[in-house]
Amino acid sequence: PLQELMFNFARILKASSQFDSYRAIRLLESQLPPHINSRMPWCQAQLGKLHFEIVNYEMSLQHFSNLRQLQPTRVEDIEIFSTLLWHLHDKVKLSHLANELIEILPNKPQTWCCLGNLFSLQRDHEEAIKYFEKATGLDPTFAYGYTLQAHEHSSNDSVDTAKNCYRKAIACNPQHYNAYYGLGMCCMKLGQYEEALLFFEKARNINPVNVILI
């Protein structure tokens, strides 16, 4: 019945927004009819993001690849897919994705995040920053874009600039644990260990099951 289906969607969304990734995956796989789970783009996007969160990159890749087949023009959550390809060091897939998105969705911030990730993977930090800035220029509330900018500044040892970008990300989304983690790493570089610990704790409170944070 529709009511039960909507209730399960709400449970999945709640678990997912609280970074209770294992529970959200369990609900998606056990409480939804298989044809909805496998054919509905939203479900595949959720599974892609959830597996990414628990560093299960192979499963994440599978779901994002399914998502791209089901809905090639979808841009929502594609910035996570591009970061997944960055982690997998897959220049070929990332380049292909960036080219496709620029062709069909040039005015979306996720497109420029994807391009930024491609240049980041090639260790061209300056070029990557330019594209991440283009992403936040298109959408000034795009927290993920600020965080990716900050990562690049941090890699370039521009720690103060990185910290400013992480703070912009948190201003856009107070639940953006990646930015707190980034601030912690910046403080580590500066030898501010107590402050770093506070930022790491803040990140872990938001996302308690993330193995990298632990």
Side-chain angles (χ1 to χ4, degrees):
L2 185 61
Q3 201 174 353
E4 191 185 331
L5 194 60
M6 296 314 288
F7 175 64
N8 283 325
F9 277 134
R11 288 166 75 201
I12 290 160
L13 203 53
K14 185 183 178 189
S16 176
S17 67
Q18 292 172 339
F19 295 103
D20 193 350
S21 303
Y22 291 99
R23 176 174 162 74
I25 290 168
R26 219 168 31 247
L27 288 169
L28 270 155
E29 290 175 347
S30 66
Q31 299 301 310
L32 297 182
H35 69 280
I36 289 180
N37 192 4
S38 63
R39 301 296 303 162
M40 184 176 173
W42 184 85
C43 293
Q44 288 300 303
Q46 287 296 319
L47 283 163
K49 287 192 295 181
L50 291 162
H51 281 288
F52 177 80
E53 282 298 337
I54 58 172
V55 199
N56 190 354
Y57 291 156
E58 290 308 317
M59 282 301 287
S60 179
L61 180 63
Q62 206 173 306
H63 290 296
F64 274 122
S65 300
N66 289 348
L67 173 66
R68 293 285 300 153
Q69 284 183 331
L70 289 170
Q71 200 176 21
T73 56
R74 181 191 174 97
V75 75
E76 198 183 344
D77 308 314
I78 292 302
E79 71 278 13
I80 308 291
F81 182 32
S82 72
T83 301
L84 168 71
L85 295 174
W86 184 93
H87 280 290
L88 293 170
H89 303 290
D90 196 333
K91 282 182 192 167
V92 176
K93 277 202 182 87
L94 191 48
S95 175
H96 185 63
L97 179 65
N99 287 331
E100 265 186 29
L101 291 175
I102 283 166
E103 215 167 279
I104 57 170
L105 298 158
N107 297 319
K108 295 290 184 182
Q110 292 90 340
T111 296
W112 297 98
C113 265
C114 187
L115 207 65
N117 271 331
L118 177 61
F119 279 95
S120 172
L121 189 55
Q122 293 165 353
R123 299 198 192 291
D124 188 341
H125 300 302
E126 295 304 322
E127 204 66 13
I129 288 165
K130 198 168 83 182
Y131 292 123
F132 293 139
E133 283 175 348
K134 171 116 178 155
T136 52
L138 285 167
D139 179 1
T141 65
F142 191 45
Y144 201 72
Y146 290 117
T147 292
L148 293 177
Q149 269 176 55
H151 289 343
E152 296 304 308
H153 284 301
S154 184
S155 298
N156 256 2
D157 288 325
S158 308
V159 180
D160 286 338
T161 313
K163 284 172 95 170
N164 284 339
C165 290
Y166 286 129
R167 289 200 170 96
K168 282 181 188 173
I170 292 163
C172 295
N173 177 6
Q175 290 297 99
H176 197 57
Y177 74 90
N178 313 61
Y180 284 111
Y181 171 75
L183 280 169
M185 293 305 280
C186 285
C187 290
M188 289 274 286
K189 280 187 175 184
L190 298 171
Q192 300 163 343
Y193 299 120
E194 284 184 21
E195 206 178 329
L197 188 61
L198 289 174
F199 285 127
F200 289 143
E201 278 297 323
K202 182 79 180 165
R204 201 168 63 96
N205 284 339
I206 296 168
N207 187 348
V209 299
N210 186 286
V211 293
I212 295 164
L213 292 180
I214 294 165

